[in-house]
Amino acid sequence: MNAAVARTRIKMCGITRSSDLTDAVVSGADAVGFVLYEKSPRAVSVAHAQALAALLPPFVTPVMLVVNPDARLVTEILARVPHALLQFHGDEPAAFCEQFARPYIRAVRISSNDTQEQVANLLDQNYHPHATALLLDSHSHQFGGSGTSFDWNLLPSSLSRHIILSGGLHAGNVRQGIDLIAPRCLSFAVDVSSGIEASKGIKDLEKMQAFVAAVQR
């Protein structure tokens, strides 16, 4: 990984309350995620995401997570939160994601049944080549976050992409993920949700602080 971007950025996802958003910012999150997928226990409406995003200080990025959305929903999100980063977490093809002419993150769901070759093909330059970053998560039939980790050893030894590691991260294992994967990437970040929660959709300040401390170490 390029030494100039060696600091591991942190996204805290599944924010549903203004108090949790404040705690995320104070703890040191670089980005916060809002889940606009109605089947998720952490789902919020576009209007609620807009209200929460309006509370963010400069340089903390709002990320809007969608799953196989209608194009009209994405257009509404961008109208309400014009500075948001989009995160596509379903089966959206590149043409769909790119039609909005906005930076976006593409989630890649990795299964324990995948081979190293299959994973390498998913992460090559031809897969969503214009995505700002690929977010690596474990496969879930329900889409959204799974809350579990995938086998990190399936990843190639070199990744010429910007990578965000997600799926089952918490203060006890994030350092292992950073040590194993960050040196392989063009740049590296982590995404946490269930690992900083008291219950689904309700964050825990002490867990947030412990997670950030583990990353910084």
Side-chain angles (χ1 to χ4, degrees):
M1 184 170 62
N2 189 322
V5 291
R7 183 175 74 83
T8 300
R9 270 67 177 177
I10 300 170
K11 171 174 170 268
M12 295 186 179
C13 197
I15 299 294
T16 63
R17 307 186 303 172
S18 59
S19 58
D20 291 340
L21 181 140
T22 299
D23 287 345
V25 172
V26 170
S27 297
D30 299 286
V32 295
F34 306 105
V35 180
L36 300 169
Y37 177 51
E38 61 183 14
K39 294 183 180 181
S40 169
R42 303 172 182 88
V44 295
S45 67
V46 179
H48 189 39
Q50 178 186 17
L52 290 172
L55 302 175
L56 289 172
F59 307 121
V60 178
T61 303
V63 182
M64 303 299 182
L65 186 157
V66 293
V67 177
N68 298 327
D70 185 284
R72 290 173 294 183
L73 173 61
V74 180
T75 300
E76 180 185 359
I77 291 168
L78 294 176
R80 287 178 176 263
V81 192
H83 59 304
L85 186 62
L86 297 170
Q87 178 177 324
F88 292 99
H89 221 290
D91 299 314
E92 305 89 355
F96 180 88
C97 300
E98 293 168 9
Q99 69 178 299
F100 307 101
R102 293 293 300 275
Y104 72 93
I105 297 167
R106 183 67 176 93
V108 179
R109 303 191 306 279
I110 298 175
S111 168
S112 58
N113 296 322
D114 290 336
T115 65
Q116 288 182 319
E117 182 179 2
Q118 288 172 320
V119 173
N121 288 336
L122 277 176
L123 303 181
D124 72 15
Q125 293 292 344
N126 295 318
Y127 183 76
H128 284 263
H130 301 297
T132 298
L134 299 181
L135 182 143
L136 312 185
D137 198 359
S138 54
H139 186 273
S140 170
H141 294 295
Q142 301 301 318
F143 295 103
S146 67
T148 59
S149 300
F150 62 92
D151 183 359
W152 298 335
N153 291 309
L154 290 172
L155 298 177
S157 58
S158 178
L159 292 163
S160 56
R161 306 290 299 263
H162 299 286
I163 296 296
I164 304 169
L165 181 63
S166 183
L169 292 179
H170 52 74
N173 67 1
V174 68
R175 176 60 184 269
Q176 180 185 359
I178 293 170
D179 289 346
L180 181 64
I181 303 170
R184 311 179 188 186
C185 308
L186 190 60
S187 72
F188 184 76
V190 292
D191 181 302
V192 63
S193 182
S194 62
I196 52 170
E197 287 184 334
S199 60
K200 290 185 177 180
I202 306 299
K203 305 306 184 190
D204 181 286
L205 175 58
E206 290 186 2
K207 290 183 179 180
M208 288 181 175
Q209 293 172 333
F211 185 85
V212 173
V215 172
Q216 292 177 342
R217 282 197 298 271

PDB file of all heavy atoms in Angstrom, residues 31-47:
ATOM      1  N   ALA A  31     -16.252   8.290   7.712  1.00  0.00           N
ATOM      2  CA  ALA A  31     -17.495   8.234   6.948  1.00  0.00           C
ATOM      3  C   ALA A  31     -18.539   7.511   7.781  1.00  0.00           C
ATOM      4  O   ALA A  31     -18.202   6.680   8.636  1.00  0.00           O
ATOM      5  CB  ALA A  31     -17.291   7.498   5.620  1.00  0.00           C
ATOM      6  N   VAL A  32     -19.797   7.841   7.548  1.00  0.00           N
ATOM      7  CA  VAL A  32     -20.892   7.134   8.214  1.00  0.00           C
ATOM      8  C   VAL A  32     -21.869   6.661   7.140  1.00  0.00           C
ATOM      9  O   VAL A  32     -22.104   7.346   6.142  1.00  0.00           O
ATOM     10  CB  VAL A  32     -21.613   8.014   9.257  1.00  0.00           C
ATOM     11  CG1 VAL A  32     -20.682   8.371  10.393  1.00  0.00           C
ATOM     12  CG2 VAL A  32     -22.184   9.270   8.624  1.00  0.00           C
ATOM     13  N   GLY A  33     -22.423   5.469   7.365  1.00  0.00           N
ATOM     14  CA  GLY A  33     -23.297   4.867   6.366  1.00  0.00           C
ATOM     15  C   GLY A  33     -24.739   4.813   6.826  1.00  0.00           C
ATOM     16  O   GLY A  33     -25.031   4.534   7.997  1.00  0.00           O
ATOM     17  N   PHE A  34     -25.644   5.075   5.882  1.00  0.00           N
ATOM     18  CA  PHE A  34     -27.076   4.996   6.122  1.00  0.00           C
ATOM     19  C   PHE A  34     -27.656   3.929   5.195  1.00  0.00           C
ATOM     20  O   PHE A  34     -27.407   3.962   3.977  1.00  0.00           O
ATOM     21  CB  PHE A  34     -27.737   6.349   5.860  1.00  0.00           C
ATOM     22  CG  PHE A  34     -27.116   7.474   6.636  1.00  0.00           C
ATOM     23  CD1 PHE A  34     -26.287   8.394   6.003  1.00  0.00           C
ATOM     24  CD2 PHE A  34     -27.335   7.606   7.994  1.00  0.00           C
ATOM     25  CE1 PHE A  34     -25.703   9.431   6.710  1.00  0.00           C
ATOM     26  CE2 PHE A  34     -26.746   8.637   8.714  1.00  0.00           C
ATOM     27  CZ  PHE A  34     -25.932   9.555   8.073  1.00  0.00           C
ATOM     28  N   VAL A  35     -28.408   2.999   5.747  1.00  0.00           N
ATOM     29  CA  VAL A  35     -28.932   1.869   4.977  1.00  0.00           C
ATOM     30  C   VAL A  35     -30.324   2.212   4.457  1.00  0.00           C
ATOM     31  O   VAL A  35     -31.273   2.342   5.235  1.00  0.00           O
ATOM     32  CB  VAL A  35     -28.985   0.595   5.840  1.00  0.00           C
ATOM     33  CG1 VAL A  35     -29.542  -0.565   5.019  1.00  0.00           C
ATOM     34  CG2 VAL A  35     -27.596   0.262   6.376  1.00  0.00           C
ATOM     35  N   LEU A  36     -30.438   2.359   3.147  1.00  0.00           N
ATOM     36  CA  LEU A  36     -31.713   2.689   2.506  1.00  0.00           C
ATOM     37  C   LEU A  36     -32.253   1.434   1.819  1.00  0.00           C
ATOM     38  O   LEU A  36     -32.512   1.416   0.617  1.00  0.00           O
ATOM     39  CB  LEU A  36     -31.511   3.830   1.517  1.00  0.00           C
ATOM     40  CG  LEU A  36     -30.973   5.108   2.172  1.00  0.00           C
ATOM     41  CD1 LEU A  36     -30.532   6.110   1.130  1.00  0.00           C
ATOM     42  CD2 LEU A  36     -32.023   5.722   3.083  1.00  0.00           C
ATOM     43  N   TYR A  37     -32.398   0.405   2.625  1.00  0.00           N
ATOM     44  CA  TYR A  37     -32.876  -0.903   2.155  1.00  0.00           C
ATOM     45  C   TYR A  37     -33.893  -1.376   3.179  1.00  0.00           C
ATOM     46  O   TYR A  37     -33.521  -1.729   4.317  1.00  0.00           O
ATOM     47  CB  TYR A  37     -31.700  -1.873   2.040  1.00  0.00           C
ATOM     48  CG  TYR A  37     -32.052  -3.282   1.630  1.00  0.00           C
ATOM     49  CD1 TYR A  37     -32.837  -3.535   0.511  1.00  0.00           C
ATOM     50  CD2 TYR A  37     -31.579  -4.363   2.368  1.00  0.00           C
ATOM     51  CE1 TYR A  37     -33.148  -4.840   0.142  1.00  0.00           C
ATOM     52  CE2 TYR A  37     -31.882  -5.669   1.989  1.00  0.00           C
ATOM     53  CZ  TYR A  37     -32.663  -5.896   0.883  1.00  0.00           C
ATOM     54  OH  TYR A  37     -32.975  -7.191   0.512  1.00  0.00           O
ATOM     55  N   GLU A  38     -35.143  -1.377   2.800  1.00  0.00           N
ATOM     56  CA  GLU A  38     -36.231  -1.528   3.767  1.00  0.00           C
ATOM     57  C   GLU A  38     -36.238  -2.870   4.498  1.00  0.00           C
ATOM     58  O   GLU A  38     -36.803  -2.993   5.588  1.00  0.00           O
ATOM     59  CB  GLU A  38     -37.575  -1.324   3.084  1.00  0.00           C
ATOM     60  CG  GLU A  38     -37.874  -2.302   1.965  1.00  0.00           C
ATOM     61  CD  GLU A  38     -39.181  -2.015   1.260  1.00  0.00           C
ATOM     62  OE1 GLU A  38     -39.720  -0.925   1.465  1.00  0.00           O
ATOM     63  OE2 GLU A  38     -39.655  -2.881   0.504  1.00  0.00           O
ATOM     64  N   LYS A  39     -35.588  -3.888   3.960  1.00  0.00           N
ATOM     65  CA  LYS A  39     -35.563  -5.191   4.610  1.00  0.00           C
ATOM     66  C   LYS A  39     -34.494  -5.289   5.691  1.00  0.00           C
ATOM     67  O   LYS A  39     -34.433  -6.285   6.413  1.00  0.00           O
ATOM     68  CB  LYS A  39     -35.360  -6.296   3.567  1.00  0.00           C
ATOM     69  CG  LYS A  39     -36.513  -6.441   2.595  1.00  0.00           C
ATOM     70  CD  LYS A  39     -36.286  -7.593   1.622  1.00  0.00           C
ATOM     71  CE  LYS A  39     -37.454  -7.725   0.647  1.00  0.00           C
ATOM     72  NZ  LYS A  39     -37.265  -8.853  -0.299  1.00  0.00           N
ATOM     73  N   SER A  40     -33.665  -4.286   5.804  1.00  0.00           N
ATOM     74  CA  SER A  40     -32.606  -4.297   6.811  1.00  0.00           C
ATOM     75  C   SER A  40     -33.149  -3.818   8.153  1.00  0.00           C
ATOM     76  O   SER A  40     -33.957  -2.878   8.217  1.00  0.00           O
ATOM     77  CB  SER A  40     -31.458  -3.386   6.382  1.00  0.00           C
ATOM     78  OG  SER A  40     -30.546  -3.198   7.445  1.00  0.00           O
ATOM     79  N   PRO A  41     -32.687  -4.428   9.266  1.00  0.00           N
ATOM     80  CA  PRO A  41     -33.078  -3.926  10.590  1.00  0.00           C
ATOM     81  C   PRO A  41     -32.502  -2.547  10.887  1.00  0.00           C
ATOM     82  O   PRO A  41     -32.901  -1.900  11.865  1.00  0.00           O
ATOM     83  CB  PRO A  41     -32.519  -4.984  11.541  1.00  0.00           C
ATOM     84  CG  PRO A  41     -31.381  -5.601  10.805  1.00  0.00           C
ATOM     85  CD  PRO A  41     -31.809  -5.611   9.368  1.00  0.00           C
ATOM     86  N   ARG A  42     -31.575  -2.093  10.062  1.00  0.00           N
ATOM     87  CA  ARG A  42     -30.956  -0.779  10.241  1.00  0.00           C
ATOM     88  C   ARG A  42     -31.461   0.228   9.203  1.00  0.00           C
ATOM     89  O   ARG A  42     -30.849   1.282   9.006  1.00  0.00           O
ATOM     90  CB  ARG A  42     -29.441  -0.910  10.159  1.00  0.00           C
ATOM     91  CG  ARG A  42     -28.863  -1.896  11.183  1.00  0.00           C
ATOM     92  CD  ARG A  42     -27.393  -2.171  10.962  1.00  0.00           C
ATOM     93  NE  ARG A  42     -26.885  -3.146  11.927  1.00  0.00           N
ATOM     94  CZ  ARG A  42     -26.928  -4.468  11.736  1.00  0.00           C
ATOM     95  NH1 ARG A  42     -27.448  -4.964  10.611  1.00  0.00           N
ATOM     96  NH2 ARG A  42     -26.467  -5.293  12.667  1.00  0.00           N
ATOM     97  N   ALA A  43     -32.555  -0.085   8.550  1.00  0.00           N
ATOM     98  CA  ALA A  43     -33.063   0.763   7.466  1.00  0.00           C
ATOM     99  C   ALA A  43     -33.559   2.103   7.988  1.00  0.00           C
ATOM    100  O   ALA A  43     -34.155   2.194   9.068  1.00  0.00           O
ATOM    101  CB  ALA A  43     -34.186   0.049   6.732  1.00  0.00           C
ATOM    102  N   VAL A  44     -33.286   3.141   7.213  1.00  0.00           N
ATOM    103  CA  VAL A  44     -33.839   4.468   7.461  1.00  0.00           C
ATOM    104  C   VAL A  44     -34.444   4.981   6.162  1.00  0.00           C
ATOM    105  O   VAL A  44     -34.090   4.520   5.074  1.00  0.00           O
ATOM    106  CB  VAL A  44     -32.765   5.457   7.965  1.00  0.00           C
ATOM    107  CG1 VAL A  44     -32.228   5.033   9.325  1.00  0.00           C
ATOM    108  CG2 VAL A  44     -31.621   5.595   6.960  1.00  0.00           C
ATOM    109  N   SER A  45     -35.356   5.915   6.277  1.00  0.00           N
ATOM    110  CA  SER A  45     -35.951   6.529   5.094  1.00  0.00           C
ATOM    111  C   SER A  45     -34.973   7.531   4.492  1.00  0.00           C
ATOM    112  O   SER A  45     -34.004   7.956   5.146  1.00  0.00           O
ATOM    113  CB  SER A  45     -37.252   7.240   5.464  1.00  0.00           C
ATOM    114  OG  SER A  45     -36.976   8.349   6.306  1.00  0.00           O
ATOM    115  N   VAL A  46     -35.238   7.928   3.254  1.00  0.00           N
ATOM    116  CA  VAL A  46     -34.387   8.939   2.618  1.00  0.00           C
ATOM    117  C   VAL A  46     -34.454  10.242   3.403  1.00  0.00           C
ATOM    118  O   VAL A  46     -33.432  10.906   3.614  1.00  0.00           O
ATOM    119  CB  VAL A  46     -34.808   9.157   1.153  1.00  0.00           C
ATOM    120  CG1 VAL A  46     -33.945  10.233   0.507  1.00  0.00           C
ATOM    121  CG2 VAL A  46     -34.708   7.870   0.358  1.00  0.00           C
ATOM    122  N   ALA A  47     -35.639  10.589   3.865  1.00  0.00           N
ATOM    123  CA  ALA A  47     -35.796  11.836   4.614  1.00  0.00           C
ATOM    124  C   ALA A  47     -35.004  11.801   5.923  1.00  0.00           C
ATOM    125  O   ALA A  47     -34.364  12.786   6.317  1.00  0.00           O
ATOM    126  CB  ALA A  47     -37.273  12.092   4.905  1.00  0.00           C
TER     127      ALA A  47
END
